[in-house]
Amino acid sequence: MTPGRPVPPPLNLRIPPEETAVGRLEGRLAAARGATSATSGLVALTIARRVLGADDVEIAIEFCGLCHSDVHATRGEWGSQNYPLVPGHEIVGRVSSVGSGVRDFQPGDRVGVGCMVDSCRECQSCRDGLEQYCERGMTGTYGARDARNGDAVTQGGYASSVVVDHRYVLRVPESLDPAAAAPLLCAGITTFSPLRHFGVREGHVVGVVGLGGLGHMAVKLAKAMGAEVKVFTTSESKVSAALELGADAVVLSRDEEAMAAENRSIDVIIDTVAAPHDLNPLFRTLRRDGALFQLGLPSDAMPPVSPGALIRRRISYSGSLIGGIAETQEMLDFCAEHGVVSDIELVGAEQLNGAYDRMVAGDVKYRFVLDTSTLQEPSERADA
């Protein structure tokens, strides 16, 4: 396996006070696409990236994946936002420059940035390399207040460049297609983490519920881990697509007889559906000591879970959130070793609003990725 960052990085090093000065906040101007209100759609913007600090890496962005959470955020569907807002947390590019204290990256390296750009670095979760569960709250790649940099609002990867602390930068193996690797930084790690936590390996049977951006990655990763994979779907149109991705079987979950035939056949289920649905029939497909990991986040209440279904087979019902830096690097190296990338459709800046509408309609196989070379030149003054 290509070595990346096999152990958690030393997150608990304090940045000297002079590195957090407000004077560091306004640096190079970057071209971007973002929202100026909940109803503006994505428009051309110019944003100011902070001056490179001693621990920073500046990245010339090549590609950025489009996540459904970007749609929710820019359209104000997850509460009020600070506008202008540039989304994007599936970033792949080349290092353009590094701060004086950076030793693990150099200009020209292909790198990535995922869903977070900082955390407290001191709580138990951060010390364990699980920064996504930071007990003081991780700093998101966009739309978050950056406490180390004057509480500036972070701006994401639909842009020509970004500056990120090196501790939160990933090495992207050169063998991976950079555009198709971009969604690995969200969809990939979100599905890899629970599979890795369960210890999926040859001999296990993995059930995947839903076949969208997350689901198709779960199929690919579970197969690469050696598991047998069964996809559960409500749509007959997804049967051939699931088999083409490598699934060993497809179960139509509306078919009661088909579901009954799967009783006690699954070790772990990765549930990617973001709409309310009844989990109890899925629990019946799990073997003793099986687990269902909920990854999709429904906007409305789910039907109640029957405790008896869990008790009778010692079943676990769990959630999972992206992955830490070390685990994300492990995932990228694993994908390079096994040739796993996302199925994507590349779009230009002028196609972003249409791509958002198509995501809402479910019209994508399976992730959109922005080619940042299609962005306009930055103007002389920053919008954000």
Side-chain angles (χ1 to χ4, degrees):
M1 181 177 290
T2 304
R5 184 182 273 124
V7 296
L11 294 178
N12 57 351
L13 299 179
R14 292 185 179 274
I15 296 178
E18 61 270 19
E19 291 294 339
T20 64
V22 174
R24 181 180 166 186
L25 298 182
E26 293 188 3
R28 195 180 307 241
L29 296 179
R33 286 281 169 138
T36 57
S37 73
T39 58
S40 70
L42 298 172
V43 300
L45 296 171
T46 295
I47 56 176
R49 296 304 193 184
R50 68 175 183 255
V51 172
L52 198 70
D55 292 319
D56 285 337
V57 172
E58 182 179 46
I59 302 166
I61 300 173
E62 298 173 302
F63 302 100
C64 186
L66 278 60
C67 179
H68 209 121
S69 60
D70 300 345
V71 180
H72 293 307
T74 57
R75 295 181 176 180
E77 295 168 354
W78 282 351
S80 61
Q81 297 288 337
N82 294 297
Y83 296 102
L85 178 66
V86 175
H89 55 211
E90 300 175 349
I91 300 168
V92 170
R94 295 277 187 189
V95 174
S96 53
S97 56
V98 300
S100 60
V102 176
R103 300 289 180 267
D104 45 353
F105 297 103
Q106 61 185 2
D109 288 347
R110 175 159 280 143
V111 295
V113 176
C115 300
M116 59 183 163
V117 292
D118 206 349
S119 61
C120 82
R121 312 181 189 181
E122 298 172 349
C123 71
Q124 190 61 54
S125 291
C126 285
R127 293 199 301 271
D128 289 342
L130 297 171
E131 305 91 342
Q132 75 274 32
Y133 300 119
C134 176
E135 289 147 40
R136 300 179 192 174
M138 67 176 181
T139 302
T141 305
Y142 67 84
R145 293 285 179 182
D146 187 350
R148 294 183 203 275
N149 292 284
D151 272 345
V153 176
T154 57
Q155 302 290 355
Y158 296 9
S160 56
S161 68
V162 68
V163 176
V164 179
D165 187 292
H166 73 107
R167 299 169 181 86
Y168 299 84
V169 176
L170 290 308
R171 190 173 300 280
V172 176
E174 290 286 351
S175 62
L176 294 175
D177 179 294
L184 298 179
L185 295 160
C186 178
I189 185 57
T190 297
T191 48
F192 180 88
S193 186
L195 292 169
R196 184 76 170 80
H197 183 74
F198 190 83
V200 168
R201 60 189 182 277
E202 187 175 355
H204 280 143
V205 181
V206 174
V208 177
V209 184
L211 198 67
L214 291 176
H216 97 288
M217 287 307 312
V219 171
K220 290 187 175 193
L221 290 167
K223 286 297 295 181
M225 292 174 178
E228 179 183 346
V229 176
K230 297 181 180 181
V231 170
F232 291 84
T233 179
T234 60
S235 175
E236 291 187 18
S237 64
K238 296 288 183 72
V239 173
S240 60
L243 296 174
E244 288 172 5
L245 287 168
D248 297 283
V250 183
V251 182
L252 292 173
S253 54
R254 295 186 190 277
D255 184 333
E256 293 184 4
E257 290 186 6
M259 290 294 290
E262 297 301 324
N263 184 46
R264 297 179 187 267
S265 70
I266 309 289
D267 293 292
V268 59
I269 293 173
I270 304 298
D271 189 339
T272 70
V273 174
H277 56 290
D278 188 359
L279 297 176
N280 294 295
L282 293 169
F283 288 139
R284 288 192 283 273
T285 71
L286 287 169
R287 295 170 175 161
R288 175 181 50 80
D289 291 326
L292 187 151
F293 286 92
Q294 186 76 46
L295 304 186
L297 185 61
S299 56
D300 296 316
M302 294 274 282
V305 168
S306 169
L310 307 179
I311 292 169
R312 283 190 292 272
R313 301 181 193 178
R314 201 161 58 186
I315 287 170
S316 299
Y317 176 37
S318 303
S320 185
L321 177 68
I322 53 171
I325 297 300
E327 187 176 47
T328 304
Q329 187 65 64
E330 179 188 357
M331 177 273 305
L332 288 168
D333 295 340
F334 176 89
C335 288
E337 181 180 2
H338 295 276
V340 175
V341 290
S342 181
D343 286 12
I344 68 165
E345 181 178 335
L346 206 59
V347 296
E350 296 296 334
Q351 298 170 287
L352 283 172
N353 288 309
Y356 270 28
D357 291 338
R358 286 179 57 192
M359 275 197 286
V360 172
D363 178 25
V364 55
K365 285 189 174 181
Y366 287 91
R367 300 287 280 201
F368 287 116
V369 173
L370 170 66
D371 177 355
T372 63
S373 69
T374 63
L375 292 168
Q376 80 293 343
E377 291 295 318
S379 62
E380 296 180 358
R381 178 175 294 183
D383 302 296

